[in-house]
Amino acid sequence: MKKQISGVLIAIVAITLLNGCGPKWTEEEKGDFHLVYNEGGATLGYSPKSGVTLLTDGGYAFKDLNRNGELDVYEDWRKPVDERAKDLASKMSVEQIAGLMLYSGHQSIPAGSGGFGAGTYNGKSLLESGAKSSDLTDQQIKFLTEDNLRHVLITTVESPGVAAQWNNNMQALVEGLGLGIPGNTSTDPRHGTRAETEYNAGAGGDISMWPTTLGLAATFDPAVMKKFGEIASIEYRALGIATALSPQIDLSTEPRWSRFSGTMGEDPGLAADLTRAYVDGFQTSSADKEITGGWGFESVNAMVKHWPGGGPEEGGRDGHFGYGAYAVYPGNNLSDQLKPFTEGAFKLDGPTGKAAAVMPYYTISYNIDQKNGENVGNAYNKYIITDLLRGEYGYDGVVCTDWMITADTRSVHEFMGKCWGVENLSVAERHYKVIEAGGDQFGGNNEKGPVLEAYEMGVKEHGEEYMRNRFEQSAVRLLKNIFRPGLFENPYLAVAESEEIVGNPEFMKAGYEAQLKSVVMLKNKDGVLPVEKKVKVYIPQKYNPGGTNWFGMVTKPSWSDAANMDIVVNYFEVVDAPEKADVAICLISSPQGGTGYSLDDKEKGGNGYVPISLQYGPYTAAYAREESIAGGSPFEDFTNRRYKGKSIEAANVYDMKMVNETKAKMGNKPVIVVVNVANPFIPAEFEKSADAILVHCGVQDQAIMDLVTGNAEPSGLLPFQLPANMKTVEEQFEDVPRDMDCYTDEMGHVYDFAYGMNWSGVIDDERVNTYK
């Protein structure tokens, strides 16, 4: 016997009378939501504002999400996830499924009044409207209600408390709509030590701080990576985030690629092991947090990216732009690019089995389509998605496009839509092609209209039954990733608990320890490191060249302290000139060698294509290809994207000059160089001016000082090669790992994959033996 009741404690008496048995649940008010505790069963959370009430069956409580007075299969937390997802998908309208297939554009909490992530509150800016930072914007309310969108990507948040309250406001809204499907909030990586790009927007301060993924790879320790995943997932869930748009598991076999620092290095074996650890850490819940099969309230869906590997970009140019639309395979080596997926993300040690979702990259994987010979962006390619991913490798999770691939573009160099290979299709036709290729979801798309148009195209070609079944297939996949983390049971957060969890001292300590383990010591001439504390140290200022990022945000050139001097003075006596110093520390960045495309070159009669340099000083591409492997765009009247013979200089050439000039001034006194690495670099330009060299991939200044003074010992290893020169960079194959001539320093040490030093000398431990 099933009865509908109101969500108040006094209702327990009524249930007892109606069911003829004692209730197996109790209810507690938690501010703006209620918690329902089922004895030996699921804990439910719901908002009285939503209009949802409770049902009972067998003495247990259930949420009546569609408010029909009946316990539907999808509302029954006792049922298997597959059954519930199929039942709910069958009840959804085409319009509702279309909304489920959307993934929002980037949302800031609160929204700014202009620029990237802007939004309004009752038609006004946040300040003018008097709204709270945790209120939903007009735009968010629209896409949640009118477009049925349920997957939201968030970036910066004002605080953990604001994020938690925003989550509750969003969940209360969607709980009262239609079938009561919860929102599934996601994020790009946000645990870095600095918030500098799209990929770690929101990093720092209120959340535990870790090295970049490449820095974690430098530990060569899957246990450290898994620990990161376990902690990050707890913090994510405390922010209301149930899906991670990570890890980025592209092999960094092309050293010039701008997304190199987001990878796990260039070795397929190491990357596969680290991927497995990362996804297990994120997806696995245990003890009282587990619901079933390892999934539960501490689980975060991992969306691994970018299938089938975004690393082998020709010449290092990136697929966010048309000039970087092509991934190439001169070594015929797709197999290594796939291994982090097939041997890592799809073969987990933990009970969740496989990564919950996959994101294809923007690129056209040139001449990889063995079935149709089609050269289109990966998400549009049926061979790459259906035949390879789903067929050969048996993957049946969610496939979500990268952001903005269905939007229009008008050039190869502007940050607009990324519809490579299908520029001449309409927006709706692009949606249909993704669906036909085997995709389930559209990144960065807030409107259901084009998805509904795509549905009608399918009905015209295949019939109503075919398209209804195809939409339900995607709906089931998407719904599983909402059911498994327990969002249908309780998507609400206790704000005070979120504030205590995110960035707590224990998590901060674990992140800091990982930072220390991630730093690689390349050189330590005459054992100059560690340096005695309180000696006189000179740290030259750093020149910041400025520039324009992908989103059009301009920063002006500037000078700044190279480190946080409030930290440094705890370790050393800081002096303002080399002649006063006992030791100098030069903190620099790897060369900022351009994007591979220049409007200046185009305006001077060139084709626009220029080298990407891994050295600081002037570079002329004497050894580049005569003809590019791939090319072609509706916005170009040529296919040869050659740049041989053209020259470039790094924007931060001063970093190199600073090191060499400092050594000249210091004479025989030691110079320590610390390089923040985004890409490999050519050490020859400054190595002999450095008595010691440390490289890192995003750590706090305190970690550097602790290592320099011996509070901690370096233990990191290079997860990539450092090339001897640009000749070997030009001649290496974009798709082949570890195929460059590596730099040999004045000590005779070769800066190869898995190289690193500690106080005793070159490290030769189990990690080196396993991976090198």
Side-chain angles (χ1 to χ4, degrees), residues 422-474:
V422 294
E423 292 91 340
N424 295 326
L425 296 182
S426 70
V427 171
E429 287 169 338
R430 292 173 197 147
H431 281 76
Y432 182 49
K433 189 168 179 63
V434 168
I435 293 167
E436 286 286 87
D440 303 300
Q441 198 167 29
F442 303 94
N445 295 13
N446 294 0
E447 298 177 356
K448 67 183 179 184
V451 185
L452 295 175
E453 287 186 66
Y455 182 85
E456 293 304 324
M457 291 175 187
V459 170
K460 187 174 181 180
E461 183 174 355
H462 300 290
E464 184 84 41
E465 183 180 1
Y466 171 92
M467 279 310 286
R468 174 71 205 189
N469 290 338
R470 176 64 188 86
F471 263 46
E472 285 192 29
Q473 182 184 46
S474 285

Side-chain angles (χ1 to χ4, degrees), residues 505-583:
E506 178 189 348
F507 293 172
M508 285 289 192
K509 183 174 183 288
Y512 187 73
E513 289 172 351
Q515 291 181 46
L516 293 173
K517 291 178 180 178
S518 74
V519 178
V520 183
M521 183 163 69
L522 298 180
K523 184 179 181 181
N524 193 20
K525 186 178 181 181
D526 300 327
V528 66
L529 291 178
V531 173
E532 201 173 311
K533 290 182 181 178
K534 298 305 178 183
V535 300
K536 296 177 180 179
V537 165
Y538 170 64
I539 300 180
Q541 280 210 318
K542 185 173 175 59
Y543 175 70
N544 308 298
T548 303
N549 71 6
W550 287 355
F551 307 108
M553 298 171 66
V554 178
T555 54
K556 295 180 179 179
S558 64
W559 289 88
S560 65
D561 289 334
N564 183 338
M565 291 304 173
D566 291 337
I567 296 292
V568 177
V569 295
N570 294 323
Y571 296 83
F572 299 112
E573 179 184 345
V574 179
V575 296
D576 60 4
E579 55 269 18
K580 300 177 184 178
D582 300 310
V583 61

Side-chain angles (χ1 to χ4, degrees), residues 671-747:
V671 174
I672 299 160
V673 178
V674 181
V675 190
N676 186 348
V677 174
N679 291 85
F681 57 93
I682 311 295
E685 293 179 290
F686 67 82
E687 179 263 320
K688 290 182 180 177
S689 295
D691 297 278
I693 303 174
L694 297 173
V695 300
H696 69 94
C697 305
V699 301
Q700 293 168 270
D701 293 334
Q702 183 178 341
I704 297 299
M705 297 303 137
D706 274 342
L707 288 160
V708 167
T709 57
N711 285 352
E713 183 173 12
S715 62
L717 304 171
L718 286 176
F720 50 82
Q721 297 180 312
L722 288 179
N725 48 51
M726 282 302 296
K727 178 177 184 290
T728 192
V729 172
E730 294 288 5
E731 293 177 346
Q732 58 87 38
F733 287 166
E734 285 90 339
D735 59 329
V736 177
R738 299 166 57 177
D739 64 339
M740 292 190 292
D741 295 329
C742 297
Y743 182 75
T744 302
D745 70 12
E746 64 175 328
M747 315 301 295

Side-chain angles (χ1 to χ4, degrees), residues 251-257 260 311-313 315-316 729 732-734:
L251 277 190
S252 55
T253 50
E254 170 44 64
R256 296 163 290 189
W257 186 32
F260 191 99
E313 310 282 359
V729 172
Q732 58 87 38
F733 287 166
E734 285 90 339

Side-chain angles (χ1 to χ4, degrees), residues 569-613:
V569 295
N570 294 323
Y571 296 83
F572 299 112
E573 179 184 345
V574 179
V575 296
D576 60 4
E579 55 269 18
K580 300 177 184 178
D582 300 310
V583 61
I585 302 177
C586 296
L587 294 104
I588 65 175
S589 300
S590 54
Q592 297 168 20
T595 64
Y597 192 84
S598 167
L599 284 176
D600 286 343
D601 179 79
K602 185 73 173 173
E603 290 168 1
K604 292 175 182 176
N607 63 0
Y609 292 87
V610 295
I612 297 175
S613 180

Side-chain angles (χ1 to χ4, degrees), residues 103 151-154 184-191 199 228-229 232-237 240-248 278-279 281-283 295 298-305 355-359 395 398 400 403 441 481 485 487:
Y103 225 126
H151 294 80
V152 183
L153 170 60
I154 65 170
N184 185 351
T185 303
S186 74
T187 181
D188 280 303
R190 59 194 310 116
H191 278 83
Y199 313 111
F228 165 68
S233 64
I234 293 170
E235 291 185 303
Y236 275 15
R237 291 304 299 266
I241 296 165
T243 294
L245 302 187
S246 60
Q248 184 191 334
Y278 186 114
V279 178
F282 265 85
Q283 291 191 170
W295 291 100
E298 285 182 352
S299 297
V300 172
N301 300 300
M303 185 180 292
V304 293
K305 56 189 187 185
V358 169
M359 181 189 294
Y395 185 77
V398 167
C400 176
W403 263 233
Q441 198 167 29
N481 288 356
L487 293 174

Side-chain angles (χ1 to χ4, degrees), residues 311-445:
E313 310 282 359
E314 183 161 22
R317 300 181 296 271
D318 184 68
H320 277 79
F321 298 88
Y323 58 69
Y326 292 97
V328 295
Y329 303 85
N332 194 28
N333 193 29
L334 176 64
S335 60
D336 272 348
Q337 304 294 324
L338 298 180
K339 285 178 182 176
F341 297 89
T342 60
E343 301 300 317
F346 303 163
K347 288 185 179 179
L348 302 182
D349 292 329
T352 63
K354 294 182 180 182
V358 169
M359 181 189 294
Y361 203 35
Y362 297 117
T363 46
I364 297 168
S365 292
Y366 191 64
N367 287 348
I368 288 301
D369 185 344
Q370 299 175 10
K371 190 171 184 180
N372 304 306
E374 191 175 30
N375 281 312
V376 291
N378 290 325
Y380 293 107
N381 193 299
K382 191 169 185 177
Y383 171 77
I384 287 173
I385 304 302
T386 293
D387 296 323
L388 194 61
L389 176 61
R390 297 210 186 279
E392 186 171 342
Y393 293 106
Y395 185 77
D396 194 39
V398 167
V399 173
C400 176
T401 76
D402 212 330
W403 263 233
M404 297 171 61
I405 76 155
T406 58
D408 289 326
T409 190
R410 62 190 180 202
S411 74
V412 298
H413 67 272
E414 293 175 278
F415 190 83
M416 299 179 67
K418 296 136 195 8
C419 47
W420 314 139
V422 294
E423 292 91 340
N424 295 326
L425 296 182
S426 70
V427 171
E429 287 169 338
R430 292 173 197 147
H431 281 76
Y432 182 49
K433 189 168 179 63
V434 168
I435 293 167
E436 286 286 87
D440 303 300
Q441 198 167 29
F442 303 94
N445 295 13

